[in-house]
Amino acid sequence: LNGVDPVVIATGNDWRAIEAGAHAFAARDGQYRPLATWKVRGQRLEGFIELPMQVGTVGGTIKSHPTARAALEMLGVSSAAELGQVIAAVGLAQNLGALRALATEGIQRGHMSMHARSMVARVLAADTEEVRAEVYRRLVATKDVREAKVLEIREALRAEKK
């Protein structure tokens, strides 16, 4: 539910209720089952998610929080049903991303790669994209994802160019 929760929170809905309902639904027959399923049909990959939830687009928190109203406006939804569809679509997309990570590099390595990319972007914000890309490539190869290592690699790049 990593993708679902941020949308639910941003739109002023109760993420704890959505989480509890989803987990209860997944375990409804005594065995924990997936909420999303995938099938290959011809040349297409089709995903399906069943995610029971109650969400709202008016009243309560939504009425009193301008950021929740702004999030709903950005999404362009005009009903709770449309919001539910957006949330389910985000959940399905997140599930596909998680499956990809599991099937390729693994969740831990994927998170470390994302962490490395984020760190390089933050630490080297003033550098060119070319420099950031090369520092990122070298940083991931070292498996030493620390800010000091980012700076060390950048300095090594500068020394190479002299």
Side-chain angles (χ1 to χ4, degrees):
L1 297 173
N2 290 343
V4 168
D5 289 346
V7 179
V8 172
I9 292 166
T11 58
N13 283 279
D14 186 355
W15 68 272
R16 294 160 303 192
I18 302 300
E19 284 266 347
H23 291 296
F25 183 74
R28 66 191 174 279
D29 65 359
Q31 184 174 0
Y32 204 89
R33 304 221 183 261
L35 298 170
T37 56
W38 297 89
K39 291 185 169 64
V40 176
R41 296 185 195 235
Q43 294 293 313
R44 295 173 27 160
L45 177 64
E46 294 181 2
F48 176 79
I49 189 166
E50 194 168 7
L51 188 60
M53 66 181 130
Q54 285 190 329
V55 293
T57 57
V58 295
T61 305
I62 299 155
K63 185 190 282 186
S64 63
H65 286 282
T67 53
R69 289 193 311 269
L72 289 166
E73 190 175 311
M74 280 189 270
L75 291 172
V77 297
S78 58
S79 69
E82 285 181 359
L83 177 58
Q85 291 170 346
V86 168
I87 292 169
V90 169
L92 194 60
Q94 185 277 326
N95 181 257
L96 181 60
L99 289 174
R100 179 186 176 272
L102 284 171
T104 56
E105 60 191 17
I107 294 289
Q108 180 64 26
R109 185 168 173 203
H111 276 285
M112 288 309 293
S113 176
M114 182 177 68
H115 177 60
R117 189 176 307 280
S118 174
M119 182 180 294
V120 168
R122 179 179 51 80
V123 174
L124 305 182
D127 285 283
T128 67
E129 180 56 37
E130 180 183 341
V131 168
R132 287 192 301 269
E134 182 59 21
V135 169
Y136 168 77
R137 187 187 68 73
R138 292 183 186 192
L139 182 67
V140 170
T142 69
K143 298 180 181 176
D144 183 9
V145 182
R146 296 177 299 117
E147 190 170 315
K149 192 67 173 177
V150 170
L151 295 171
E152 178 185 317
I153 293 169
R154 182 184 62 186
E155 292 311 311
L157 272 175
R158 287 179 176 168
E160 290 171 15
K161 290 186 178 185
K162 288 183 178 179

